[in-house]
Amino acid sequence: QQQQQQQQQSFPTAEQPTNPGNSRKLPKRVTLRRYLNNIVKADKSVRDLESLSLSIQMACKTISNLVNRAGINSLSTPPTYLQEGLENERIQGLIQYDYRMNSMKRLDQLSTIVLKNALRFTGKLQSVKKAKDEDVLRDRNGRAVQQHQPGVLIASTLDSKYVAYFDPLDGSGNADAAICTGTVFGIFETEEDGDGDDDYDGDDGIDNVVLGGGDGVEIMDESEDTLFNAVLQPGKKLVAAGYCLYSSATILVFTLGDGTHGFTLDPQINEFVLTHPNIKIPPRGNVYSCNEANSEGWSEDVQSYLHALKSGENETKERYALRYVGSMVGDIHRTLMYGGIFFYPGDSKLYPNGNLQLLYKSAPLSYVIEQAGGMSSNGKVNLLDVRPTRVHERSPCFIGSPEDMNEMKKYIQHDE
């Protein structure tokens, strides 16, 4: 018991000096609540943003616990089948795949419910709705491909000043393997007719279909809910965006348009505390992140760039390392912290326009990276200049350090 007391006393806390002979205490932690409160004191007009952000942090705490306990709570543990033989192994593989899809849907559904309840709890929102599953992905022969659609939520504040969207659990298919997942969100000011820059010409933002980023599905009919139309804005109009990473630690990274900041969930006090103020992405990295299994269908210019990274025939004269998690939040967070480039281009096989949704994946994460000094592109123009035409619309995506992005543009011709 005496040994345990000595061990406990050996770890300094925020209320204890690191040196017994020094009376100076460690600085108190800055919680996310305190951080946002200071922003509101300086600018009362962002009070609704504070309420939205606090509801997001509340949901992220619950989702983090949900993901960490998924296996314990039998949310994702597959059943055991005692079968033998090659044919039975094939059946077992199909069962595993079906169960993974069901597990993914289950976690997405629970995360969606948790986030929806947290948003409603604020009392600041007039509506919280789930976007319709409008996409059907087809292969080269026109056959529908089984694919899970995330439960995207769209919400509007009481005064209709802000409209927000959320991907409750990006990478939910990785949860069974205890690989990182995340929540992604973005917030716009509600557009008015003719609202935009001084040179507004009727469409502030480039139509994604013109850039080859649309995926061939019909554009939403005029009778669709105006709430869904309200979020169809180019990423450059975001007033806030961010993500919460669920991994070895739970980290909330977001921006209000004044730089990118990171908060880590402290399990002892169950609060997000500021651990990464004013994050800056390294000018260049030595890692590239992509699903290289699709590279056979990539265009020649993308393959030439990939070869330069792998062979060392690039500006650094060094070979890049490949790191790919398969959860966009995890790959983007690593790119933000260590530099490098993440890309998911279109291919001539299954994903002619990439496989990442523009509105609620690529655009908000690009905004976070650009606020940290990085760059983004859809392979032709800045990704944040592109206006989506549908909620689930897909687009090619390139995000990363400025020097890496500029080198990429020397291989892949851009319109800018």
CSV table of all heavy atoms in Angstrom, one decimal, residues 23-54:
chain,number,residue,atom,x,y,z
A,23,SER,N,7.4,26.0,-6.4
A,23,SER,CA,6.0,26.2,-6.0
A,23,SER,C,5.2,26.6,-7.2
A,23,SER,O,3.9,26.7,-7.1
A,23,SER,CB,6.0,27.4,-5.0
A,23,SER,OG,6.5,28.6,-5.6
A,24,ARG,N,5.8,26.7,-8.4
A,24,ARG,CA,5.0,27.1,-9.6
A,24,ARG,C,4.2,25.9,-10.1
A,24,ARG,O,4.7,24.8,-10.2
A,24,ARG,CB,5.9,27.6,-10.7
A,24,ARG,CG,5.2,28.1,-11.9
A,24,ARG,CD,6.1,28.6,-13.0
A,24,ARG,NE,7.0,27.6,-13.4
A,24,ARG,CZ,8.0,27.8,-14.3
A,24,ARG,NH1,8.2,29.0,-14.8
A,24,ARG,NH2,8.8,26.8,-14.7
A,25,LYS,N,2.9,26.1,-10.4
A,25,LYS,CA,2.0,25.0,-10.8
A,25,LYS,C,2.0,24.9,-12.3
A,25,LYS,O,2.3,25.9,-13.0
A,25,LYS,CB,0.6,25.2,-10.3
A,25,LYS,CG,0.5,25.1,-8.8
A,25,LYS,CD,-0.9,25.3,-8.3
A,25,LYS,CE,-1.1,25.2,-6.8
A,25,LYS,NZ,-2.5,25.4,-6.4
A,26,LEU,N,1.6,23.7,-12.8
A,26,LEU,CA,1.4,23.6,-14.3
A,26,LEU,C,0.3,24.4,-14.7
A,26,LEU,O,-0.7,24.6,-14.0
A,26,LEU,CB,1.2,22.1,-14.6
A,26,LEU,CG,2.4,21.2,-14.5
A,26,LEU,CD1,1.9,19.8,-14.7
A,26,LEU,CD2,3.4,21.5,-15.5
A,27,PRO,N,0.3,25.0,-15.9
A,27,PRO,CA,-0.9,25.7,-16.4
A,27,PRO,C,-2.1,24.9,-16.5
A,27,PRO,O,-2.0,23.7,-16.8
A,27,PRO,CB,-0.4,26.2,-17.8
A,27,PRO,CG,0.7,25.3,-18.2
A,27,PRO,CD,1.4,24.9,-16.9
A,28,LYS,N,-3.2,25.4,-16.2
A,28,LYS,CA,-4.5,24.7,-16.3
A,28,LYS,C,-4.8,24.4,-17.7
A,28,LYS,O,-4.5,25.1,-18.6
A,28,LYS,CB,-5.6,25.5,-15.6
A,28,LYS,CG,-5.5,25.6,-14.1
A,28,LYS,CD,-6.7,26.3,-13.5
A,28,LYS,CE,-6.6,26.4,-12.0
A,28,LYS,NZ,-7.8,27.1,-11.4
A,29,ARG,N,-5.5,23.2,-17.9
A,29,ARG,CA,-5.9,22.8,-19.2
A,29,ARG,C,-7.0,23.7,-19.7
A,29,ARG,O,-7.9,24.1,-19.0
A,29,ARG,CB,-6.4,21.4,-19.2
A,29,ARG,CG,-5.3,20.4,-18.7
A,29,ARG,CD,-6.0,19.1,-18.3
A,29,ARG,NE,-5.0,18.1,-17.9
A,29,ARG,CZ,-5.3,17.0,-17.2
A,29,ARG,NH1,-6.5,16.7,-17.0
A,29,ARG,NH2,-4.3,16.1,-16.9
A,30,VAL,N,-6.9,23.9,-21.0
A,30,VAL,CA,-8.0,24.7,-21.7
A,30,VAL,C,-9.0,23.7,-22.3
A,30,VAL,O,-8.6,23.0,-23.3
A,30,VAL,CB,-7.4,25.7,-22.8
A,30,VAL,CG1,-8.5,26.4,-23.5
A,30,VAL,CG2,-6.4,26.6,-22.2
A,31,THR,N,-10.1,23.7,-21.8
A,31,THR,CA,-11.1,22.7,-22.4
A,31,THR,C,-11.8,23.4,-23.6
A,31,THR,O,-11.7,24.6,-23.8
A,31,THR,CB,-12.2,22.4,-21.3
A,31,THR,OG1,-12.9,23.6,-21.0
A,31,THR,CG2,-11.6,21.8,-20.1
A,32,LEU,N,-12.4,22.5,-24.4
A,32,LEU,CA,-13.1,23.0,-25.6
A,32,LEU,C,-14.2,24.0,-25.2
A,32,LEU,O,-14.4,25.0,-25.9
A,32,LEU,CB,-13.7,21.8,-26.4
A,32,LEU,CG,-14.5,22.2,-27.6
A,32,LEU,CD1,-13.6,23.0,-28.6
A,32,LEU,CD2,-15.0,20.9,-28.3
A,33,ARG,N,-14.9,23.7,-24.1
A,33,ARG,CA,-16.0,24.6,-23.7
A,33,ARG,C,-15.5,26.0,-23.4
A,33,ARG,O,-16.0,27.0,-23.7
A,33,ARG,CB,-16.7,24.0,-22.5
A,33,ARG,CG,-18.0,24.7,-22.0
A,33,ARG,CD,-18.6,24.0,-20.8
A,33,ARG,NE,-18.9,22.6,-21.2
A,33,ARG,CZ,-20.0,22.3,-21.7
A,33,ARG,NH1,-21.0,23.2,-22.0
A,33,ARG,NH2,-20.3,21.0,-21.9
A,34,ARG,N,-14.3,26.0,-22.6
A,34,ARG,CA,-13.7,27.3,-22.3
A,34,ARG,C,-13.2,28.0,-23.5
A,34,ARG,O,-13.3,29.2,-23.6
A,34,ARG,CB,-12.6,27.0,-21.3
A,34,ARG,CG,-11.9,28.3,-20.8
A,34,ARG,CD,-10.7,27.9,-19.9
A,34,ARG,NE,-9.9,29.0,-19.6
A,34,ARG,CZ,-8.7,28.9,-19.0
A,34,ARG,NH1,-8.3,27.7,-18.6
A,34,ARG,NH2,-7.9,30.0,-18.8
A,35,TYR,N,-12.6,27.3,-24.4
A,35,TYR,CA,-12.1,27.8,-25.6
A,35,TYR,C,-13.2,28.5,-26.5
A,35,TYR,O,-13.0,29.7,-26.9
A,35,TYR,CB,-11.4,26.7,-26.5
A,35,TYR,CG,-10.9,27.2,-27.8
A,35,TYR,CD1,-9.6,27.7,-28.0
A,35,TYR,CD2,-11.6,27.0,-29.0
A,35,TYR,CE1,-9.1,28.1,-29.2
A,35,TYR,CE2,-11.2,27.4,-30.2
A,35,TYR,CZ,-9.9,27.9,-30.3
A,35,TYR,OH,-9.4,28.3,-31.5
A,36,LEU,N,-14.3,27.8,-26.6
A,36,LEU,CA,-15.4,28.4,-27.4
A,36,LEU,C,-16.0,29.6,-26.7
A,36,LEU,O,-16.5,30.5,-27.3
A,36,LEU,CB,-16.5,27.3,-27.7
A,36,LEU,CG,-16.0,26.2,-28.6
A,36,LEU,CD1,-17.1,25.1,-28.6
A,36,LEU,CD2,-15.8,26.7,-30.0
A,37,ASN,N,-16.1,29.5,-25.4
A,37,ASN,CA,-16.7,30.6,-24.6
A,37,ASN,C,-15.9,31.9,-24.8
A,37,ASN,O,-16.4,33.0,-24.9
A,37,ASN,CB,-16.7,30.2,-23.1
A,37,ASN,CG,-17.4,31.2,-22.3
A,37,ASN,OD1,-16.8,32.0,-21.5
A,37,ASN,ND2,-18.7,31.3,-22.3
A,38,ASN,N,-14.5,31.7,-24.8
A,38,ASN,CA,-13.7,32.9,-25.0
A,38,ASN,C,-13.9,33.5,-26.4
A,38,ASN,O,-13.9,34.7,-26.6
A,38,ASN,CB,-12.2,32.6,-24.9
A,38,ASN,CG,-11.9,32.3,-23.4
A,38,ASN,OD1,-12.5,32.7,-22.5
A,38,ASN,ND2,-10.8,31.5,-23.2
A,39,ILE,N,-14.2,32.7,-27.4
A,39,ILE,CA,-14.5,33.1,-28.8
A,39,ILE,C,-15.8,33.9,-28.8
A,39,ILE,O,-15.9,35.0,-29.4
A,39,ILE,CB,-14.5,32.0,-29.8
A,39,ILE,CG1,-13.1,31.4,-29.9
A,39,ILE,CG2,-15.0,32.4,-31.1
A,39,ILE,CD1,-13.0,30.2,-30.8
A,40,VAL,N,-16.8,33.4,-28.1
A,40,VAL,CA,-18.1,34.0,-28.1
A,40,VAL,C,-18.0,35.4,-27.4
A,40,VAL,O,-18.7,36.4,-27.8
A,40,VAL,CB,-19.1,33.1,-27.4
A,40,VAL,CG1,-20.5,33.9,-27.2
A,40,VAL,CG2,-19.4,31.9,-28.3
A,41,LYS,N,-17.2,35.5,-26.3
A,41,LYS,CA,-17.0,36.7,-25.6
A,41,LYS,C,-16.5,37.8,-26.6
A,41,LYS,O,-16.9,39.0,-26.5
A,41,LYS,CB,-16.1,36.6,-24.4
A,41,LYS,CG,-16.7,35.8,-23.3
A,41,LYS,CD,-15.7,35.7,-22.1
A,41,LYS,CE,-16.3,35.0,-20.9
A,41,LYS,NZ,-15.3,34.9,-19.8
A,42,ALA,N,-15.6,37.4,-27.5
A,42,ALA,CA,-15.0,38.4,-28.4
A,42,ALA,C,-16.0,38.7,-29.6
A,42,ALA,O,-15.9,39.7,-30.2
A,42,ALA,CB,-13.7,37.8,-28.9
A,43,ASP,N,-16.9,37.7,-29.9
A,43,ASP,CA,-17.8,37.9,-31.0
A,43,ASP,C,-19.1,37.2,-30.7
A,43,ASP,O,-19.2,36.0,-30.9
A,43,ASP,CB,-17.1,37.3,-32.3
A,43,ASP,CG,-18.0,37.6,-33.6
A,43,ASP,OD1,-19.0,38.2,-33.4
A,43,ASP,OD2,-17.6,37.1,-34.6
A,44,LYS,N,-20.1,38.0,-30.3
A,44,LYS,CA,-21.4,37.4,-29.9
A,44,LYS,C,-22.1,36.8,-31.1
A,44,LYS,O,-23.0,35.9,-30.8
A,44,LYS,CB,-22.3,38.5,-29.3
A,44,LYS,CG,-21.7,39.3,-28.1
A,44,LYS,CD,-21.6,38.4,-26.9
A,44,LYS,CE,-21.1,39.2,-25.7
A,44,LYS,NZ,-20.9,38.3,-24.5
A,45,SER,N,-21.8,37.1,-32.3
A,45,SER,CA,-22.5,36.6,-33.4
A,45,SER,C,-22.3,35.1,-33.7
A,45,SER,O,-23.1,34.5,-34.4
A,45,SER,CB,-22.1,37.4,-34.7
A,45,SER,OG,-20.8,37.2,-35.0
A,46,VAL,N,-21.3,34.5,-33.1
A,46,VAL,CA,-21.0,33.1,-33.3
A,46,VAL,C,-21.6,32.2,-32.2
A,46,VAL,O,-21.1,31.1,-32.0
A,46,VAL,CB,-19.5,32.9,-33.5
A,46,VAL,CG1,-19.0,33.6,-34.7
A,46,VAL,CG2,-18.7,33.3,-32.2
A,47,ARG,N,-22.5,32.7,-31.4
A,47,ARG,CA,-23.0,32.0,-30.3
A,47,ARG,C,-23.7,30.7,-30.7
A,47,ARG,O,-23.6,29.6,-30.1
A,47,ARG,CB,-24.0,32.8,-29.5
A,47,ARG,CG,-24.5,32.1,-28.2
A,47,ARG,CD,-25.3,33.0,-27.3
A,47,ARG,NE,-24.6,34.1,-26.8
A,47,ARG,CZ,-23.8,34.1,-25.8
A,47,ARG,NH1,-23.6,32.9,-25.1
A,47,ARG,NH2,-23.1,35.1,-25.4
A,48,ASP,N,-24.4,30.7,-31.9
A,48,ASP,CA,-25.0,29.5,-32.4
A,48,ASP,C,-24.0,28.5,-32.8
A,48,ASP,O,-24.2,27.3,-32.7
A,48,ASP,CB,-25.9,29.8,-33.6
A,48,ASP,CG,-27.3,30.4,-33.1
A,48,ASP,OD1,-27.6,30.3,-31.9
A,48,ASP,OD2,-28.0,31.1,-33.9
A,49,LEU,N,-22.8,29.0,-33.3
A,49,LEU,CA,-21.7,28.1,-33.6
A,49,LEU,C,-21.2,27.4,-32.4
A,49,LEU,O,-20.9,26.2,-32.4
A,49,LEU,CB,-20.6,28.8,-34.3
A,49,LEU,CG,-20.8,29.1,-35.8
A,49,LEU,CD1,-19.5,29.9,-36.3
A,49,LEU,CD2,-21.0,27.9,-36.6
A,50,GLU,N,-21.2,28.1,-31.3
A,50,GLU,CA,-20.8,27.5,-30.0
A,50,GLU,C,-21.7,26.4,-29.6
A,50,GLU,O,-21.2,25.3,-29.2
A,50,GLU,CB,-20.7,28.6,-28.9
A,50,GLU,CG,-20.3,28.0,-27.6
A,50,GLU,CD,-20.6,29.0,-26.4
A,50,GLU,OE1,-21.5,29.8,-26.6
A,50,GLU,OE2,-19.9,28.9,-25.4
A,51,SER,N,-23.0,26.6,-29.7
A,51,SER,CA,-24.0,25.6,-29.4
A,51,SER,C,-23.8,24.3,-30.2
A,51,SER,O,-23.9,23.2,-29.7
A,51,SER,CB,-25.4,26.1,-29.5
A,51,SER,OG,-25.6,27.2,-28.6
A,52,LEU,N,-23.7,24.5,-31.5
A,52,LEU,CA,-23.5,23.4,-32.5
A,52,LEU,C,-22.2,22.6,-32.1
A,52,LEU,O,-22.2,21.4,-32.1
A,52,LEU,CB,-23.4,23.9,-33.9
A,52,LEU,CG,-24.7,24.1,-34.7
A,52,LEU,CD1,-24.5,24.7,-36.0
A,52,LEU,CD2,-25.4,22.7,-34.8
A,53,SER,N,-21.1,23.4,-31.8
A,53,SER,CA,-19.9,22.7,-31.6
A,53,SER,C,-19.9,21.9,-30.3
A,53,SER,O,-19.4,20.8,-30.2
A,53,SER,CB,-18.7,23.8,-31.5
A,53,SER,OG,-18.6,24.5,-32.7
A,54,LEU,N,-20.6,22.4,-29.3
A,54,LEU,CA,-20.7,21.7,-28.0
A,54,LEU,C,-21.6,20.5,-28.1
A,54,LEU,O,-21.3,19.5,-27.5
A,54,LEU,CB,-21.3,22.7,-26.9
A,54,LEU,CG,-20.4,23.8,-26.5
A,54,LEU,CD1,-21.1,24.7,-25.5
A,54,LEU,CD2,-19.1,23.2,-25.9
